[in-house]
């Protein structure tokens, strides 16, 4: 057991910038009390936050940390298996390297949980894993070894396969191949549930889980690709988010009409791709004003996770409210990947993933001075 006293606490539940003490036991939040009122636990370690801001650890909802290493060479890039466009049987958990420098960068950015997965070359690239950003092995870090599928619409799969004379060369072919795979998986699922004899197919056996509600993260940037993603998701009744979605702020009514949940970002940095031409740091504020559910991502290593608070500060400057900036990086990110009962806020019974800051987290110059994951000091 240990105590963090004199916190200026933002717990992302019912406490926002209030003086509190936190009591932690067995890696969980045991109690939150007014400063100086906690019982005298003899022998308990105490950390004095000294009135500094204390928040939940940030949640990165879509990245490739550990799969595509920060300083990567061929041997450190395991994100893109370009032997075929439809590979739902791949699992990011089998490629994660805890020694990737990106995990240390995550800690410095106050990020304590990442949803990390395959790259962007495949139409269906396999599954993401949810892991904490501290541990010696993946087994020490994992929350869920398979939390969501990765699908991609846009230019990357076309470039990976069309340039070799294979499908997809066009957006039509991209949608067709995904649709074909989902039809096959649906048939396989029906046979599996009815105990009908069929030949085992590892691709379909993996993909069929979308019909039990397993999350699908569809990366799509252009408005037309976002609409194709919605069309496919609704055709097959998928539980889905649209990720990166640079053009989301241009089709607000369509997003509302279809109850779309978005993972936006990175929204900061230079633009190198035609599909990113409409990327705008004001987009997060526009989504908030239009009450469209969203969370914020760095897409690491597209943007270094150490810059998580810098991006949030810029989004706040461009119109995102202060409270929503924190929500989009914590509880909303956790909610959009189905982990809100465990992470994303500091509430009794939830994981003790805590960051102590040396200033306002939305100040460009503030840093995480202490990061605690599962009740253990990680930084």
């Amino acid at each position: 057991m240990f105590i963090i006293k004199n916190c200026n606490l933002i717990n992302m539940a019912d406490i926002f910038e209030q003086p509190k003490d936190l009591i932690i036991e067995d890696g969980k939040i045991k109690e939150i009390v007014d400063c100086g009122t906690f019982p005298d636990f003899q022998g308990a370690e105490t950390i004095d936050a000294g009135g500094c801001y204390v928040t939940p650890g940030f949640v990165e909802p879509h990245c490739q940390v550990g799969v595509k290493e920060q300083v990567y060479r061929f041997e450190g890039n395991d994100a893109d298996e370009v032997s075929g466009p439809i590979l739902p049987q791949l699992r990011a958990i089998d490629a994660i390297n805890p020694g990737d420098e990106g995990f240390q960068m995550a800690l410095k950015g106050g990020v304590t949980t990442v949803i990390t997965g395959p790259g962007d070359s495949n139409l269906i690239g396999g599954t993401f894993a949810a892991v904490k950003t501290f541990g010696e092995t993946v087994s020490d870090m994992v929350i869920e070894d398979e939390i969501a599928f990765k699908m991609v619409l846009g230019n990357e799969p076309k470039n990976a396969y069309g340039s070799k004379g294979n499908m997809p060369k066009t957006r039509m072919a991209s949608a067709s191949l995904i649709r074909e795979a989902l039809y096959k998986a649906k048939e396989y699922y029906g046979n599996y549930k009815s105990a009908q004899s069929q030949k085992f197919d590892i691709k379909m056996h993996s993909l069929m889980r979308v019909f039990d509600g397993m999350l699908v993260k569809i990366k799509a940037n252009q408005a037309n690709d976002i609409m194709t993603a919605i069309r496919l998701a609704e055709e097959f009744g998928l539980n889905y988010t649209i990720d990166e979605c640079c053009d989301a702020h241009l089709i607000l009514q369509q997003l509302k009409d279809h109850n779309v949940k978005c993972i936006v970002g990175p929204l900061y940095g230079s633009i190198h791709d035609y599909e990113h031409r409409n990327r705008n740091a004001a987009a997060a504020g526009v989504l908030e004003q239009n009450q469209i559910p969203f969370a914020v991502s760095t897409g690491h290593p597209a943007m270094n996770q150490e810059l998580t608070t810098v991006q949030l500060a810029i989004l706040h400057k461009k119109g995102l409210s202060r409270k929503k900036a924190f929500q989009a990086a914590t509880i909303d990110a956790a909610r959009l990947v189905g982990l809100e009962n465990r992470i994303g806020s500091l509430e009794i019974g939830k994981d003790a993933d805590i960051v102590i800051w040396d200033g306002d987290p939305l100040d460009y110059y503030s840093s995480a001075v202490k990061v605690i994951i599962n009740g253990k000091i990680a930084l």
Side-chain angles (χ1 to χ4, degrees), residues 140-156:
D140 299 330
M141 303 159 72
V142 67
I143 301 174
E144 289 194 23
D145 55 3
E146 293 187 277
I147 194 168
F149 280 97
K150 171 82 174 270
M151 296 187 184
V152 179
L153 290 170
N155 288 335
E156 289 97 337

Side-chain angles (χ1 to χ4, degrees), residues 209-286:
R209 291 175 292 172
V210 302
F211 299 107
D212 282 325
M214 187 170 171
L215 179 64
V216 180
K217 297 168 75 62
I218 310 174
K219 182 184 174 184
N221 279 302
Q222 293 186 171
N224 60 323
D225 290 327
I226 294 172
M227 293 308 299
T228 298
I230 294 169
R231 189 180 312 114
L232 286 167
E234 292 186 348
E235 181 178 343
F236 292 96
L238 304 181
N239 171 27
Y240 73 104
T241 59
I242 305 295
D243 291 29
E244 197 162 315
C245 46
C246 288
D247 286 7
H249 60 293
L250 304 179
I251 51 171
L252 296 168
Q253 191 58 53
Q254 289 85 350
L255 297 181
K256 287 183 180 181
D257 290 345
H258 294 276
N259 300 310
V260 175
K261 297 170 288 187
C262 298
I263 306 291
V264 298
L267 294 173
Y268 161 66
S270 57
I271 296 172
H272 301 292
D273 190 297
Y274 179 77
E275 288 186 339
H276 299 161
R277 66 195 181 280
N278 294 317
R279 189 171 70 188
N280 190 330
V286 173

Side-chain angles (χ1 to χ4, degrees), residues 323-364:
K323 189 170 185 179
K324 181 60 179 177
F326 284 109
Q327 289 173 336
T330 56
I331 189 61
D332 287 349
R335 187 176 291 118
L336 291 188
V337 296
L339 293 175
E340 71 274 19
N341 292 329
R342 180 168 175 181
I343 60 173
S345 64
L346 300 178
E347 299 178 81
I348 293 172
K350 296 180 74 168
D351 290 2
D353 295 347
I354 303 163
V355 183
I356 303 174
W357 304 88
D358 62 5
D360 185 341
L362 297 188
D363 186 311
Y364 297 115

